[in-house]
């Protein structure tokens, strides 16, 4: 018996290998696909993080310009900081009245328009530190705040339209989807703010932030919201 096994050892190996190969090739491995809704949530999380990081950097410059123009007077600092937001609210109101059905008809376009306006406002606010005339600080920051509010309302309308489309495709409750997206975006935004605060200390160079950090964050914001919107608006 032992001699027979030794003589036929190679043949047994070949037969065993053939059977295993047949079994292996007969199994169809399921391909893992990421659902559009999960892709959308991931891309919007990237957008929230990169945008929040940029806003931290621009807010730092705005606060410096306000502090310098107010000459360390507490009342003037408060009035200027709140005043810019009051002016900005009017810009947001005008935008809200004009949007309406426009976002529904061309969602991808308005996603880009809203994000570009957002980045313009961030850059303007970032460069406010170079304004030397104290009388120009409030109007200038007011305009940047208005542009920022317009961008937030526009991208908010885009997000609402995208979520509406995703609920149709995924057959999921709108409230459930919105709370999930809002929760993840809030977490991502917090993460982005922490990165922004870290960059202020780690990268103190204004030049590096201007020519490397902010452009990178801007491109990331544009890419993520554009890709997310295309996924949400893609026809089945």
């Amino acid at each position: 018996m032992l001699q027979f096994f030794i003589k036929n050892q190679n043949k047994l190996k070949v037969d065993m290998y053939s059977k295993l190969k047949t079994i292996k090739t007969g199994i169809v491995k399921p391909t893992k696909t990421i659902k559009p809704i999960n892709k959308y949530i991931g891309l919007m999380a990237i957008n929230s993080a990169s945008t929040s990081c940029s806003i931290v950097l621009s807010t730092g410059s705005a606060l410096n310009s306000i502090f310098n123009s107010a000459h360390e007077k507490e009342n003037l600092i408060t009035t200027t900081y709140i005043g810019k937001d009051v002016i900005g609210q009017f810009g947001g109101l005008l935008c809200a009245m004009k949007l309406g059905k426009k976002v529904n008809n061309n969602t991808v376009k308005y996603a880009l328009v809203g994000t570009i306006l957002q980045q313009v406002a961030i850059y303007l606010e970032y460069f406010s530190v170079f304004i030397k005339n104290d009388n120009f600080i409030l109007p200038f920051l007011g305009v940047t705040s208005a542009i920022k509010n317009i961008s937030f309302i526009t991208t908010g309308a885009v997000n609402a339209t995208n979520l509406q489309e995703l609920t149709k495709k995924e057959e999921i409750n709108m409230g459930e989807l919105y709370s999930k997206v809002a929760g993840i975006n809030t977490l991502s935004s917090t993460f982005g703010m922490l990165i922004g605060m870290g960059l202020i200390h780690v990268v103190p160079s204004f030049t590096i932030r201007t020519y490397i950090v902010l452009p990178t964050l801007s491109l990331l914001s544009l890419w993520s919201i554009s890709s997310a919107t295309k996924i949400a608006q893609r026809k089945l």
Side-chain angles (χ1 to χ4, degrees):
M1 184 71 182
L2 184 62
Q3 288 177 349
F4 174 80
F5 178 77
I6 293 168
K7 286 180 181 178
N8 294 279
Q9 189 176 9
N10 292 332
K11 187 179 177 182
L12 287 168
K13 283 182 179 179
V14 171
D15 290 343
M16 186 68 72
Y17 175 76
S18 299
K19 287 178 181 179
L20 286 171
K21 190 175 180 182
T22 304
I23 294 168
K24 187 177 179 181
T25 53
I27 298 170
V28 179
K29 291 183 179 179
T31 54
K32 293 182 180 180
T33 56
I34 302 172
K35 288 184 177 181
I37 187 170
N38 292 331
K39 288 182 181 179
Y40 181 82
I41 290 171
L43 287 165
M44 289 307 293
I46 292 171
N47 182 265
S48 295
S50 58
T51 302
S52 295
C53 186
S54 299
I55 288 173
V56 168
L57 297 176
S58 67
T59 302
S61 289
L63 288 172
N64 283 333
S65 63
I66 290 170
F67 187 79
N68 292 333
S69 67
H71 304 292
E72 300 183 23
K73 293 179 182 177
E74 185 179 346
N75 292 338
L76 282 176
I77 292 171
T78 305
T79 303
T80 306
Y81 188 77
I82 302 300
K84 74 178 180 61
D85 291 330
V86 172
I87 295 170
Q89 298 292 349
F90 288 107
L93 286 170
L94 290 171
C95 174
M97 290 188 292
K98 295 285 184 180
L99 278 180
K101 295 180 179 179
K102 291 181 180 179
V103 174
N104 288 335
N105 297 332
N106 203 336
T107 314
V108 176
K109 173 188 171 183
Y110 278 95
L112 288 172
V113 168
T115 308
I116 289 169
L117 285 174
Q118 187 182 77
Q119 297 306 312
V120 167
I122 287 170
Y123 269 92
L124 288 174
E125 192 172 67
Y126 187 70
F127 287 115
S128 64
V129 72
F130 291 113
I131 299 176
K132 301 303 179 185
N133 192 323
D134 297 346
N135 297 322
F136 289 159
I137 291 293
L138 179 58
F140 183 83
L141 290 178
V143 170
T144 62
S145 181
I147 297 170
K148 199 183 289 184
N149 280 327
I150 290 169
S151 74
F152 285 145
I153 290 172
T154 305
T155 52
V158 167
N159 187 44
T161 306
N162 289 339
L163 292 179
Q164 188 178 29
E165 288 296 320
L166 286 169
T167 53
K168 295 175 185 176
K169 294 175 184 177
E170 302 290 332
E171 296 181 356
I172 188 172
N173 181 272
M174 181 68 170
E176 182 185 348
L177 178 59
Y178 179 80
S179 60
K180 186 177 182 181
V181 172
I184 292 173
N185 281 353
T186 302
L187 187 63
S188 302
S189 179
T190 305
F191 183 64
M193 285 189 282
L194 289 171
I195 293 173
M197 287 191 291
L199 284 172
I200 289 173
H201 297 284
V202 176
V203 189
S205 171
F206 191 87
T207 305
I208 293 174
R209 285 193 227 158
T210 304
Y211 292 107
I212 297 175
V213 178
L214 275 178
T216 302
L217 292 170
S218 297
L219 289 172
L220 198 57
S221 295
L222 284 164
W223 167 78
S224 56
I225 196 167
S226 175
S227 300
T229 303
K230 285 175 183 176
I231 288 169
Q233 297 299 320
R234 190 177 295 154
K235 301 298 180 185
L236 292 173

